Amino acid sequence: MSTFWDAFSPDFTRNSQLPFSSEFNRLATQRGWVVGSNRYRKEWSRCCGEEFTRQYGQDAHRLSGWQGLCADVGIKDIPSSITQCKKVLNTTWVNIVDLVECRESGRLPAKQYRSQNALREYTQRTGKIFPKKAAKRNKFLAALLIVIF
């Protein structure tokens, strides 16, 4: 299966030991994509979407997928239904970029924030913003979205 990164080889080889966001920034620098430009945003959105899907899939009808997401964000009592998983995830505040990188590195659970505001502040400060367009393409992500700006 082809990945986001394959489209840029052989000129660029992703170092899988590093977080995907760092490697994306290295790729953007190599390609001359200016932060905030249309090209940068388009490629970042594609990269984020593919990385999340690679880690979690996109079959939102599978209870096991929802339960895995709950475990990865540190929920102790894993719900036994998709509806209950969504309900608990809607009140769990994690940075989605960090979540994907934690899963990829095996350093789970991802850090939870005490409130939407705390998560919003962290996300704005670090610039680790998972694109809304990419998030809306994967039903697992809808439960984790918050308004950043």
Side-chain angles (χ1 to χ4, degrees):
M1 178 169 107
S2 181
T3 69
F4 169 81
W5 309 102
D6 293 339
F8 304 100
S9 73
D11 299 333
F12 183 90
T13 302
R14 179 181 179 214
N15 180 344
S16 61
Q17 301 302 309
L18 296 174
F20 85 89
S21 61
S22 297
E23 285 297 272
F24 179 83
N25 287 331
R26 184 169 68 90
L27 174 63
T29 298
Q30 181 194 62
R31 296 291 169 140
W33 302 335
V34 177
V35 175
S37 69
N38 285 338
R39 180 68 188 264
Y40 183 95
R41 287 193 311 268
K42 176 184 169 197
E43 297 297 347
W44 175 241
S45 181
R46 195 165 67 91
C47 178
C48 286
E50 286 188 26
E51 286 296 313
F52 185 89
T53 298
R54 187 173 62 79
Q55 293 294 325
Y56 290 97
Q58 59 186 44
D59 184 357
H61 300 293
R62 285 183 30 251
L63 175 59
S64 62
W66 287 101
Q67 290 174 323
L69 188 55
C70 286
D72 288 356
V73 300
I75 294 168
K76 302 289 186 231
D77 296 320
I78 306 294
S80 58
S81 75
I82 291 174
T83 301
Q84 288 301 312
C85 286
K86 287 179 182 180
K87 186 175 180 179
V88 74
L89 287 167
N90 276 322
T91 58
T92 303
W93 317 119
V94 296
N95 180 278
I96 300 171
V97 173
D98 287 347
L99 171 65
V100 174
E101 291 179 344
C102 285
R103 177 151 176 155
E104 185 174 51
S105 69
R107 292 188 210 117
L108 291 166
K111 178 181 167 102
Q112 282 192 34
Y113 292 84
R114 68 186 185 295
S115 67
Q116 266 190 17
N117 283 338
L119 173 58
R120 184 178 297 113
E121 289 170 12
Y122 167 80
T123 302
Q124 289 174 346
R125 186 178 71 252
T126 62
K128 290 184 173 184
I129 300 170
F130 197 98
K132 184 167 53 171
K133 193 180 246 183
K136 287 186 173 188
R137 286 193 293 261
N138 191 308
K139 300 298 183 205
F140 285 121
L141 287 168
L144 298 173
L145 292 178
I146 67 167
V147 175
I148 300 297
F149 297 103

